Amino acid sequence: MNASPPAVSVIMPVLNEERHLRDAVRHILDQEYEGEMEVVIALGPSTDRTDEIAAELVMADARVRTVPNPTGRTPAALNAAIEESNHPIVVRVDGHGMLSPGYIATAVRLLDETGAQNVGGVMHAEGENAWEDAVAAAMTSRIGVGGAAFHTGGAAGPADTVYLGVFRREALERQGGYNEEFIRAQDWELNFRIREAGGLIWFSPELRVQYRPRPSVRALARQYKEYGRWRRVVARHHEGSLNPRYLAPPAAVCAIAAGVLVGAVLTPFGFAVPAGYLAAIAAGSVPAGRGLSPRARLRIPVALATMHLSWGFGFLTSPRALAREVAASRRPPATA
């Protein structure tokens, strides 16, 4: 007689998610998983109808409950939800992430088969209009995000980090949860500590989460600036954690700025550098935009440039003070 699948706790950090929260929770509750399941939503100080929608979800299904997150910070929300939850498997889901059918059952199976401490899969970006379709195409192309498997797909195997993640609770408790000083890049930082302690992080293309891109150029720029800013903090906080591919965006920003300066002050040939960059992203947007509407294809170069330059600018301007602020919370890696 087969043993029952382990019970799972789904944790959700939520802030201003009225647009997607109901659908995100529905995709969780509709999972065909035979084990016990609970959903813990950590509510930040939203200014839209998120709290009202969350209250309705709690009333509609006994498996759903909420916990406050007064700071609004994602890692604080995750830790609050982990502390409130009960089960040995912890599934992280964002308020704008839609789990694919069978996601939880597949993740639990992979944890068992691989012995990993955390498994995750593909961040499947999907838009609802021409701009979001363009961002989704950029986020799933190599010219947009390099070779990150959780963006572009790839073969199953060990990974530095994965999107969201399905954890063994013991791994989270051993590491003391998420470092709450990391407003961004908290997933990468936690997975680094797990790997340093001897744990395995496993990527599998079987796992897919539908992701809704940012709805405007400004929102996308802010998102990627923060990504670059906090990835630099991780690099300063954990020596040896910087992958060379992360240096491509800041290198591009420096080269373009130098080219414009040389072109404006010394010789027009300097403008060849930014012109070459624009030509490269225009060419790269052609394969990325296959199957999309003409309006979406025209916006892909804008999305690519916004992502590259914002990430690079954030990385270059990340103050050392941020790394010093998180240094006090640094703890020696626990052993697996």
Side-chain angles (χ1 to χ4, degrees):
M1 185 174 180
N2 294 331
S4 299
V8 301
S9 299
V10 182
I11 59 171
M12 300 183 71
V14 169
L15 179 69
N16 293 327
E17 289 288 359
E18 67 173 2
R19 184 179 172 194
H20 301 301
L21 179 59
R22 199 182 301 276
D23 279 346
V25 172
R26 177 176 58 80
H27 278 76
I28 297 167
L29 298 178
D30 286 350
Q31 293 281 306
E32 293 183 357
Y33 185 69
E34 295 181 0
E36 186 180 349
M37 181 169 63
E38 63 178 355
V39 181
V40 182
I41 303 173
L43 294 172
S46 296
T47 56
D48 61 8
R49 294 183 60 252
T50 295
D51 287 10
E52 180 182 337
I53 293 169
E56 293 171 0
L57 292 168
V58 171
M59 291 293 294
D61 197 302
R63 293 173 291 178
V64 182
R65 63 182 186 278
T66 61
V67 62
N69 172 36
T71 69
R73 289 186 171 189
T74 298
L78 291 166
N79 284 342
I82 291 167
E83 185 175 351
E84 179 69 17
S85 65
N86 301 295
H87 300 321
I89 304 297
V90 178
V91 181
R92 177 183 170 176
V93 182
D94 283 345
H96 47 272
M98 315 295 164
L99 299 186
S100 58
Y103 179 93
I104 292 177
T106 301
V108 171
R109 171 177 60 80
L110 289 170
L111 283 173
D112 183 59
E113 290 177 353
T114 65
Q117 301 297 299
N118 179 22
V119 300
V122 177
M123 177 183 179
H124 181 61
E126 224 176 76
E128 296 181 319
N129 53 49
W131 166 250
E132 291 180 3
D133 285 342
V135 177
M139 292 180 70
T140 53
S141 67
R142 288 189 175 274
I143 192 173
V145 294
F150 70 85
H151 279 297
T152 60
D160 288 344
T161 192
V162 291
Y163 181 53
L164 301 180
V166 178
F167 299 83
R168 299 179 189 272
R169 177 178 292 275
E170 61 194 33
L172 294 172
E173 293 177 345
R174 189 178 295 125
Q175 294 301 329
Y178 290 85
N179 188 326
E180 295 188 13
E181 297 298 326
F182 282 89
I183 298 174
R184 295 281 189 179
Q186 66 274 158
D187 296 294
W188 207 104
E189 195 273 339
L190 173 60
N191 284 318
F192 179 84
R193 283 189 279 129
I194 291 174
R195 288 188 291 108
E196 285 288 284
L200 175 65
I201 310 299
W202 188 264
F203 166 82
S204 173
E206 294 181 76
L207 300 172
R208 293 169 68 87
V209 181
Q210 188 182 86
Y211 169 85
R212 299 299 188 200
R214 294 296 191 270
S216 67
V217 174
R218 182 177 180 180
L220 183 68
R222 185 166 54 247
Q223 177 188 22
Y224 271 77
K225 178 186 173 184
E226 288 297 297
Y227 283 168
R229 178 185 178 95
W230 283 94
R231 189 62 190 82
R232 183 75 177 273
V233 177
V234 175
R236 286 169 169 159
H237 191 62
H238 295 295
E239 294 181 5
S241 67
L242 189 62
N243 188 309
R245 72 183 176 85
Y246 290 116
L247 298 177
V253 171
C254 291
I256 291 169
V260 170
L261 181 62
V262 169
V265 176
L266 299 177
T267 171
F269 288 111
F271 292 117
V273 176
Y277 171 76
L278 292 175
I281 62 173
S285 70
V286 174
R290 288 195 184 104
L292 297 183
S293 68
R295 291 183 64 205
R297 291 200 299 269
L298 288 171
R299 287 163 170 77
I300 294 175
V302 178
L304 288 170
T306 301
M307 290 162 55
H308 293 163
L309 302 183
S310 298
W311 202 102
F313 180 78
F315 187 92
L316 290 169
T317 59
S318 180
R320 288 187 176 275
L322 280 178
R324 288 195 293 268
E325 286 174 12
V326 303
S329 63
R330 185 171 188 171
R331 58 177 66 88
T335 56

